[in-house]
Amino acid sequence: RKSNMSTRATASAVIAMPVDKVWSALRLFDFPSKLISTIDSVELEENAAATTVGGVRKVVWKSGEERRQRLLGLSDIDRTATWETISSKPEAEVSAVISSIKCVRISENNSTLVTWASDFSSDVSGDLIVFEQKAYQANLNEIRNALTST
C-alpha cells in the first residue's frame, strides 16, 4: 500500500527521569493540557477515556486555534502514541497529519529519550514543517520542565 504521507517533522529531548514515569504522563491523550503552557484546554469527546484508541480530543490553544485529533494507536510495549488531525479551526494548511510520541529508555543513566514526530501529506509547505518542528521542540522542553519540577 502506497502512503500519501511524504514529509516529516521531528524533534526529541532527553528527560532525566525513568521511562515508565515519563510514559505514564504522555500515554494519556489529554496530556497537552497538563504539560504545555500554550494549550488552553483539552476535551475528550463523548466521555472517551484518555487511553481509548479511536477516542477524539479537542485541543484549544490560548491563541484560539482548535484541532480535533483521533487516537490511532497506543502501545505500552513500544511506549508510543499515534494520532491524526481530523479537523482544524482555522482550516489546516495541510490536508493530512499523523503524529506520534515515543519514549525510549536510555540505559546509561536511566533517563528517557522522547521523540515527537509528524508525517504530513504532500501538500505541506517547507515553512509549516519548520514551524511544527520548532513547536514540537518547544513542547518537549516544556514537558521536560513540567515533569522534572514535580
Side-chain angles (χ1 to χ4, degrees):
R1 184 178 123 199
K2 189 176 178 200
S3 170
N4 291 333
M5 298 299 187
S6 64
T7 319
R8 172 170 272 242
T10 188
S12 59
V14 173
I15 300 177
M17 291 177 70
V19 70
D20 290 333
K21 288 187 177 183
V22 176
W23 178 239
S24 69
L26 296 181
R27 71 186 294 276
L28 302 175
F29 203 37
D30 59 353
F31 80 83
S33 64
K34 299 176 178 99
L35 301 174
I36 301 172
S37 67
T38 55
I39 302 297
D40 185 49
S41 65
V42 175
E43 173 193 344
L44 296 169
E45 298 182 359
E46 298 179 10
N47 295 318
T51 55
T52 301
V53 172
V56 174
R57 69 181 177 194
K58 181 170 100 175
V59 182
V60 179
W61 277 258
K62 290 181 177 170
S63 63
E65 181 183 354
E66 293 180 13
R67 287 188 195 158
R68 290 178 65 241
Q69 300 168 326
R70 177 181 295 114
L71 186 61
L72 298 177
L74 182 68
S75 171
D76 287 329
I77 295 170
D78 297 326
R79 297 185 189 95
T80 303
T82 305
W83 63 91
E84 66 179 334
T85 299
I86 55 177
S87 68
S88 295
K89 290 179 190 176
E91 192 171 315
E93 300 173 48
V94 63
S95 58
V97 183
I98 295 178
S99 303
S100 64
I101 279 191
K102 180 173 180 68
C103 296
V104 177
R105 180 175 181 261
I106 299 173
S107 61
E108 178 182 44
N109 56 9
N110 200 25
S111 61
T112 303
L113 173 66
V114 182
T115 304
W116 188 321
S118 290
D119 289 305
F120 299 90
S121 51
S122 60
D123 59 344
V124 69
S125 70
D127 287 346
L128 182 64
I129 293 167
V130 170
F131 174 84
E132 291 293 325
Q133 197 153 300
K134 286 179 181 174
Y136 300 164
Q137 193 66 59
N139 292 346
L140 289 171
N141 292 343
E142 276 205 70
I143 289 167
R144 175 177 48 221
N145 292 342
L147 291 177
T148 56
S149 69
T150 55

